[in-house]
Amino acid sequence: MKRVVVTGLGAVSACGIGADTLWRSAREGDSGVRPVLFEALQDVQRVGIAARLSDEDRATVLETAGHRMRDPVASYAVTAAREAVAQAGLSEKDFGDRCGVCIGSGFGGGKTLDDNYMAFGRDHKARLDPMSVPKIMNNAAASWVSMEFGATGPLYCAATACSSATQSIGLALHLLRAGVVDRMLAGGAEACLEAGVFRVWELLRVMTAQVNRPFSRDRNGMTLGEGAAVLVLETLESAQERGAEILCELGGYATNSDAGDLLRPDPARATACMKAALSDAGLDAGQIGYVNAHGTGTVANDVTEVSALRAVFGDDLGNTLVSSTKPIHGHALGAAGALEAVVAIGALRNQIAPPTINFNEVDPKINLDPVANTAREINAEAVMSNSLAFGGINASLIFAKHA
Amino acid sequence: MADGNENLAKSIMELVAREGMVDAAEMSPDARLEDLDIQSADFVMILMAIEEEYGAYISVDNELSDVETVQDLLDLVVGKIEAQRAAESG
């Protein structure tokens, strides 16, 4: 089985443009959450914050990667992919049939969808955007990335809610190990901060109207985010042949499903998933120095995930530090696993666990100190990143130092 | 004020019965929501109706995790509505 390495990273998020910007924000606890008000939700909007791109960053992305046939979600993905490809030093000959693309999205073209609903339902217009179908479809971001570089290998798009990006990276790992391709551009993209989408999240009542505080006793729900992140993944041989700088190895991956409740997570299945990822990576729990938790800041997630973490890493979690960086970059749904993979890789390469900011008080229900508020040094051979999605999907990635 | 709250509590109890699809006769302050078969999806409907009628936003989270009986839910909702009214008048 082929070993797989990471040679490039790219990200666009509320923290700014660039994978390094995202990592530095995570390490410093510098949040991209800002006030967000929708004109179409006047008088009804109850939650007034989200981790949205700054107006300046969004304008830059749309100017440099915009296209009349692209929803912003695809522009985010193309921007992240350009950065990752540049860092990896890939050139024209490195694409073609031996390079695939695997970029997930939960909502696809959210702005196009929302604009159309408003035009059709509110304004009774029959003349909608004629390019709506190719702009809304979930795989558009992946397809635009493939066209950008001439990556003509397999193209996939996992549309598995909050696990879309983690599963996309995992699927890319499987294709690379099997020798189907030499390299993959893998990650996730989401641009769902539009009035209609935001309103239905409000109605599901899993968002906090105050501050996102994962694992804190006074937590009260999540904060939505958006963005995209893309990883260049290659077989070790491919990277060595090109003389590429290897950032780390993608050592393991597992995914499973609860086959239980659509929304309520099952700790036993999250436990099984993390254990399977460890086994896939050939590592013991004690070798994982840091876990970037799914950590949404809802009571259902916090209790489930911590119980699963204790079942995997021991009651005292051993030397494994756990934090959630969602209060910094928001819960970016289909992009979440990719943004958090960038953060987890930053933690591994810098040997620093980024903090869970906004933390007030240990919750006696879970009794966890999640690297509260300030980053800490770690001694980690490997790190893990979890995504636990609606639909009962669990997915865990393990990144390891390249030796 | 006490009378006002009593009326409010009565209205909310009716709302919970309606949105939770529970026979109003079975509703009592001591009744456990679990025994009334009010589940997580029902909470979403109940809390949406509360937002529509009273303008108070309650997330299905920490605050609800300790709610076991109809009275617990009434206390939470009445408190939120009062806070909302105070915020609006303040």
Side-chain angles (χ1 to χ4, degrees):
Chain A
M1 202 167 64
K2 292 173 187 296
R3 285 164 70 185
V4 174
V5 297
V6 181
T7 56
L9 299 174
V12 171
S13 73
C15 299
I17 300 171
D20 198 50
T21 303
L22 172 60
W23 161 247
R24 276 188 285 111
S25 300
R27 185 189 62 199
E28 301 304 323
D30 192 2
S31 177
V33 175
R34 47 178 60 91
V36 168
L37 288 172
F38 297 97
E39 212 186 317
L41 299 183
Q42 266 178 1
D43 307 326
V44 297
Q45 188 176 345
R46 302 292 165 188
V47 174
I49 49 166
R52 180 149 83 177
L53 262 67
S54 70
D55 292 345
E56 298 76 26
D57 286 341
R58 186 170 162 106
T60 301
V61 168
L62 296 183
E63 197 173 300
T64 55
H67 187 288
R68 67 188 171 82
M69 282 181 69
R70 276 182 202 160
D71 184 271
V73 72
S75 303
Y76 290 2
V78 167
T79 302
R82 282 177 184 163
E83 182 192 0
V85 163
Q87 182 181 22
L90 295 176
S91 59
E92 208 172 315
K93 65 179 178 358
D94 299 317
F95 296 103
D97 285 1
R98 297 301 295 170
C99 179
V101 176
C102 208
I103 293 178
S105 186
F107 275 90
K111 180 177 193 306
T112 308
L113 191 65
D114 205 65
D115 287 351
N116 273 336
Y117 280 143
M118 290 298 180
F120 189 67
R122 185 186 61 187
D123 306 334
H124 306 292
K125 285 185 179 161
R127 188 170 194 183
L128 307 175
D129 181 349
M131 285 301 142
S132 293
V133 171
K135 285 165 88 171
I136 292 169
M137 63 188 190
N138 278 52
N139 61 301
S143 296
W144 279 109
V145 168
S146 76
M147 286 185 271
E148 176 84 7
F149 303 104
T152 50
L155 186 144
Y156 288 103
C157 165
T160 49
C162 318
S163 60
S164 301
T166 298
Q167 284 200 321
S168 293
I169 294 167
L171 180 55
L173 173 69
H174 286 167
L175 292 169
L176 287 159
R177 279 177 173 172
V180 175
V181 284
D182 297 324
R183 55 196 68 85
M184 291 289 294
L185 307 180
E190 202 73 84
C192 62
L193 297 177
E194 300 295 333
V197 179
F198 196 83
R199 180 61 183 154
V200 290
W201 276 99
E202 260 190 357
L203 292 176
L204 196 57
R205 280 171 211 285
V206 292
M207 295 201 293
T208 176
Q210 293 99 31
V211 178
N212 180 219
R213 306 183 193 281
F215 307 118
S216 188
R217 182 179 190 155
D218 54 351
R219 87 176 71 66
N220 205 16
M222 56 178 250
T223 295
L224 275 183
E226 63 167 351
V230 173
L231 282 61
V232 175
L233 302 173
E234 301 185 66
T235 60
L236 178 59
E237 296 99 302
S238 156
Q240 285 175 334
E241 218 168 88
R242 296 193 307 111
E245 187 197 347
I246 292 169
L247 303 178
C248 65
E249 297 211 17
L250 173 51
Y253 163 66
T255 184
N256 66 15
S257 77
D258 297 349
D261 190 289
L262 200 64
L263 303 181
R264 192 184 307 236
D266 178 347
R269 303 302 302 151
T271 302
C273 183
M274 285 188 261
K275 284 186 171 171
L278 283 169
S279 164
D280 186 58
L283 294 174
D284 296 323
Q287 290 171 282
I288 303 290
Y290 169 67
V291 177
N292 188 287
H294 189 55
T296 52
T298 63
V299 71
N301 178 86
D302 283 7
V303 171
T304 300
E305 192 171 15
V306 173
S307 143
L309 284 163
R310 291 194 195 284
V312 174
F313 295 98
D315 283 343
D316 63 355
L317 299 177
N319 294 319
T320 306
L321 295 185
V322 176
S323 75
S324 167
T325 48
K326 280 194 168 73
I328 292 161
H329 46 67
H331 187 359
L333 308 177
L339 293 174
E340 288 156 30
V342 167
V343 172
I345 291 168
L348 177 70
R349 287 173 55 76
N350 295 280
Q351 293 289 305
I352 290 171
T356 305
I357 61 165
N358 303 331
F359 187 83
N360 276 335
E361 190 183 354
V362 171
D363 179 355
K365 280 203 284 286
I366 55 176
N367 205 23
L368 177 77
D369 170 4
V371 190
N373 299 319
T374 312
R376 280 181 218 161
E377 285 186 18
I378 52 174
N379 185 5
E381 286 175 58
V383 298
M384 180 184 275
S385 177
N386 283 339
S387 295
L388 313 177
F390 280 173
I393 303 165
N394 308 292
S396 300
L397 291 168
I398 293 175
F399 298 95
K401 279 185 186 169
H402 175 63
Chain B
M1 195 66 187
D3 284 350
N5 272 359
E6 229 166 77
N7 286 336
L8 182 58
K10 190 165 167 281
S11 305
I12 292 165
M13 204 127 99
E14 286 165 7
L15 179 152
V16 170
R18 188 174 72 238
E19 299 295 335
M21 291 183 287
V22 178
D23 187 346
E26 288 178 43
M27 291 285 289
S28 74
D30 299 336
R32 292 170 54 82
L33 297 166
E34 201 182 317
D35 297 336
L36 296 171
D37 206 23
I38 293 179
Q39 295 172 353
S40 60
D42 301 315
F43 275 120
V44 170
M45 302 308 290
I46 290 166
L47 296 175
M48 180 168 69
I50 284 167
E51 179 185 316
E52 284 166 355
E53 289 192 27
Y54 302 100
Y57 178 88
I58 301 170
S59 56
V60 182
D61 215 80
N62 233 20
E63 293 162 325
L64 268 179
S65 64
D66 295 328
V67 169
E68 289 183 2
T69 65
V70 171
Q71 187 63 51
D72 294 340
L73 183 62
L74 286 179
D75 291 345
L76 171 69
V77 171
V78 170
K80 281 281 178 181
I81 292 170
E82 284 179 343
Q84 177 72 25
R85 284 175 179 170
E88 277 168 7
S89 63

